[in-house]
Amino acid sequence: MIIRISRDAGESYADYNVQVSEEMTVLDALFHIQENIDESLAFRYSCRGAVCGSCAIMVNGMPLLACKTPVARIEELNNVYEVFLPRKGEVPKDGMLLEPIPKLPVMKDLVVDWEPFFDLFGKLELKLRGAGNPPEKEYLIAKEKVRELEKYTNCISCALCWSACPVVGDLKDYPGPAALAKLYRFYLDPREPDALNRLAIANQEFGWWACDFYTNCKKVCPKKVPPNIAIGKARSQLKNMEDNQ
Ligand code: SF4
Ligand code: FES
C-alpha cells in the first residue's frame, strides 16, 4: 500500500510503500516507516491504547486516533465515516493519505503544537476546586451521578472534536467542544462549591451560545463524549435561570 504523508505542513508529501498486515494499525504503519524506511519521519504517540489522545491525525480527511485505527479498515471507514475535513493532499489510489490535524500549528510532519487548544482549558479553570476541608474518608457520589459524569470524564483531550468543529477558528476565543464539555462536567460535579459559577464562566456570545450544533464533535469523538449535549443542557439551565429571575 502507498502511504502518503504530509511533510512541511503540507508543502510537500512523501510516498512510502508499505506491506500492510491485517492487524496493523495506522500507528504501527508509521513505526514501520520510521524504523525501516525514513527515520526522519515525525509523529506523536504515547500510550498506544487510545488513552492519551496524542496520536490524533487525519487519515484520508477523517480525524482519527492512529493507534485505534486498523489500516485494513480504512476502505470501509471511507464509506461509512460521517465527518471528512478539507485535505491538502491527494489520497493515493488504493492507498492512504496521512496529514496533521487542522487548526493547530504544525511543528513537523504529523506533529502539531497543542498550546492553543490547552490555553483555552486554562482560561476556563478546568480543574476541581473542591469545597472547604476534604472529608475524613472518601467523597461518596451517587452511582447515577457518576454515570452522568463519566460521559464527560472519558474525554482524553485528543482535539479531534476541535479539529472537526466548524465554529472553532471562525470565532475568536471560542473554547471549542472539548473545553465546554469539561466545563459542564465540573458544573455536574457534586464536590464543586459553586457549580452555577461554572456555567456563568462561558455565558458569553463566544461561549455556550456560539455552538451551531453541527454535532461533528460527537460524531468524531473516539470516546463517545457528547459535547453537543453538554452545551445544549448548559444553555437550557441558563435560560431557565434567566426566566425565573
Ligand atoms: S470530547 Fe472526544 S474528540 Fe473531543 S477532545 Fe475529548 S475525547 Fe477527543
Ligand atoms: S497513542 Fe495514546 S491515544 Fe493513541
Side-chain angles (χ1 to χ4, degrees), residues 1-5 14-16 60 89-98:
M1 172 190 268
I2 297 295
I3 301 184
R4 181 167 294 161
I5 301 183
D15 282 1
Y16 303 98
N60 296 358
E90 283 296 313
V91 180
K93 192 170 178 315
D94 300 325
M96 188 165 70
L97 172 73
L98 304 184

Side-chain angles (χ1 to χ4, degrees), residues 27 45-55 65 67 156:
L27 186 62
Y45 76 98
S46 179
C47 69
R48 302 183 80 165
V51 174
C52 72
S54 63
C55 66
L65 291 182
C67 72
I156 56 171

Side-chain angles (χ1 to χ4, degrees), residues 35-50:
E35 285 163 10
N36 301 290
I37 310 175
D38 182 353
E39 63 179 13
S40 73
L41 180 67
F43 54 93
R44 191 175 265 142
Y45 76 98
S46 179
C47 69
R48 302 183 80 165

Side-chain angles (χ1 to χ4, degrees), residues 30-172:
L30 287 169
F31 273 112
H32 177 83
I33 296 168
Q34 194 188 55
E35 285 163 10
N36 301 290
I37 310 175
D38 182 353
E39 63 179 13
S40 73
L41 180 67
F43 54 93
R44 191 175 265 142
Y45 76 98
S46 179
C47 69
R48 302 183 80 165
V51 174
C52 72
S54 63
C55 66
I57 56 167
M58 291 244 289
V59 183
N60 296 358
M62 299 176 280
L64 295 166
L65 291 182
C67 72
K68 196 179 175 225
T69 308
V71 175
R73 275 203 67 214
I74 298 301
E75 204 178 313
E76 178 195 331
L77 280 175
N78 280 330
N79 296 326
V80 298
Y81 206 74
E82 291 183 75
V83 181
F84 287 80
L85 305 181
R87 306 183 307 250
K88 277 192 174 177
E90 283 296 313
V91 180
K93 192 170 178 315
D94 300 325
M96 188 165 70
L97 172 73
L98 304 184
E99 295 175 305
I101 51 171
K103 302 182 189 174
L104 291 171
V106 178
M107 299 173 87
K108 191 183 172 202
D109 303 337
L110 300 173
V111 179
V112 293
D113 177 3
W114 294 71
E115 213 169 312
F117 175 70
F118 286 118
D119 264 3
L120 292 159
F121 279 33
K123 282 188 191 151
L124 293 179
E125 217 192 314
L126 296 179
K127 57 185 180 204
L128 191 66
R129 292 184 291 204
N133 296 324
E136 279 180 23
K137 290 189 176 175
E138 67 275 14
Y139 283 105
L140 288 179
I141 303 179
K143 272 189 189 149
E144 307 75 58
K145 187 55 107 178
V146 171
R147 270 197 286 275
E148 208 183 344
L149 275 169
E150 267 173 359
K151 285 185 206 152
Y152 305 104
T153 53
N154 283 340
C155 172
I156 56 171
S157 305
C158 63
L160 288 178
C161 56
W162 155 286
S163 309
C165 173
V167 183
V168 169
D170 243 18
L171 191 65
K172 193 176 169 305

